[in-house]
Amino acid sequence: MTLQPKSTKYDKDKVRKIAGKAVDFLLPPLCPITGDIVDKIGMISPEFWHELSFINDPYCARCGSPFSFDSGDATCGACLDHPPVYNQGRSALAYNDASRDMILKFKHGDQLHAVKAFTPWLLQSGKSLIDEADIIIPVPLHRMRILKRRYNQADIIARDLMRHYPEKTYIPDALLRVRNTQSQGHKKFEERKKNIRNAFEIHPEKSANIDNKNILIIDDVYTTGATLNECAQTLLDGGASTVNVLTVARVVKE
Ligand SMILES: [Zn+2]
């Protein structure tokens, strides 16, 4: 009979852990979407890149929705009919099959390293909003949702972005989600607006931080804008001077 030292299991685990890290370090960087080998971490494979639709000028000065041609109008019809509560919204990508796939993998499939691809896009599309902001915050998730998913995807995106702006103030819990609302899923704007009403509150200890400040809210996707408008309304009611919003992707109406 061979006596196994008691520490064997512990040592094996330790070795596996160390070896795992070394293997991670030695492995070539992979595209977070396709799994193809790419030149550096956060890079998207060229094939997938062509399927993404980046939002460039011209776009609506308020919500950032792209115009199919330069009509000279600064504001889109939707913003004229129902002006958003926030001041300016910008998004890096149009929400299409490719960006949906990428964001769903990031959000539910634990492909968290995809954030390394998002950050340079947000730095470009949101530069002026980030420069103007006094405070940056993520759209919060309800604590029950965090327990289920283990992380808030908006917080992951915002934190990676903030590495490029160490002088800016990031307050991840300035807004609290006090109601665990139903999924916004396939709801239309008015239903979403009703569903999300009074879902947020300002953290009781953070209200002084937002008073009279220009605040930038970060999220993954702008769908109808109902959630971001409700966040903006809560912040403005709480004394913020201006609220802008920046997302990785946004739904673009045809
Ligand atoms: Zn607009």
Side-chain angles (χ1 to χ4, degrees):
M1 186 174 112
T2 316
L3 282 175
Q4 293 270 2
K6 270 190 173 170
S7 59
T8 304
K9 188 177 179 303
Y10 169 77
D11 287 345
K12 266 187 191 165
D13 288 347
K14 202 173 170 186
V15 168
R16 193 176 294 140
K17 234 176 181 176
I18 295 164
K21 276 187 184 158
V23 168
D24 281 350
F25 180 71
L26 291 170
L27 279 175
L30 303 176
C31 166
I33 316 304
T34 62
D36 296 337
I37 295 172
V38 287
D39 289 345
K40 58 178 189 180
I41 293 173
M43 236 176 146
I44 299 286
S45 71
E47 293 75 19
F48 190 77
W49 177 271
H50 289 299
E51 292 178 36
L52 294 171
S53 170
F54 287 88
I55 296 177
N56 298 306
D57 243 350
Y59 48 70
C60 169
R62 290 299 302 279
C63 72
S65 180
F67 292 139
S68 47
F69 56 94
D70 198 351
S71 61
D73 289 326
T75 308
C76 74
C79 287
L80 284 174
D81 290 345
H82 302 284
V85 174
Y86 60 79
N87 192 42
Q88 285 188 303
R90 294 290 177 267
S91 307
L93 295 164
Y95 200 53
N96 60 9
D97 289 346
S99 57
R100 183 186 302 117
D101 186 32
M102 179 179 69
I103 287 169
L104 288 179
K105 278 181 176 162
F106 166 70
K107 203 165 165 172
H108 302 292
D110 286 23
Q111 296 274 17
L112 288 177
H113 55 302
V115 74
K116 297 289 173 203
F118 303 162
T119 298
W121 303 338
L122 290 172
L123 287 171
Q124 197 176 353
S125 56
K127 189 181 183 309
S128 64
L129 300 188
I130 302 168
D131 286 345
E132 281 172 27
D134 299 311
I135 309 278
I136 294 166
I137 67 167
V139 169
L141 282 187
H142 190 269
R143 60 191 167 78
M144 296 307 289
R145 197 74 69 89
I146 292 190
L147 277 177
K148 204 170 155 195
R149 196 182 291 165
R150 306 194 309 281
Y151 55 86
N152 173 3
Q153 73 279 6
D155 178 48
I156 305 272
I157 297 167
R159 278 182 198 273
D160 201 69
L161 194 60
M162 287 305 92
R163 292 188 308 109
H164 297 264
Y165 286 86
E167 74 286 5
K168 294 276 179 191
T169 307
Y170 179 57
I171 311 183
D173 58 351
L175 266 186
L176 302 174
R177 198 161 190 145
V178 290
R179 277 201 307 116
N180 194 11
T181 50
Q182 292 170 14
S183 162
Q184 295 281 65
H186 298 291
K187 290 184 169 64
K188 298 219 161 38
F189 179 73
E190 285 305 321
E191 292 173 307
R192 281 173 174 255
K193 209 168 137 186
K194 207 172 154 193
N195 185 39
I196 202 81
R197 193 164 294 150
N198 301 324
F200 303 100
E201 275 179 13
I202 291 165
H203 190 301
E205 289 167 19
K206 304 288 159 76
S207 59
N209 299 72
I210 64 151
D211 195 37
N212 220 17
K213 294 289 196 300
N214 180 325
I215 299 182
L216 177 62
I217 313 174
I218 309 286
D219 206 359
D220 53 351
V221 183
Y222 182 115
T223 310
T224 63
T227 300
L228 286 155
N229 265 303
E230 186 64 23
C231 287
Q233 189 64 64
T234 307
L235 291 164
L236 291 168
D237 291 346
S241 65
T242 318
V243 179
N244 294 313
V245 304
L246 177 63
T247 66
V248 176
R250 66 159 294 142
V251 170
V252 174
K253 290 196 183 102
E254 295 301 322

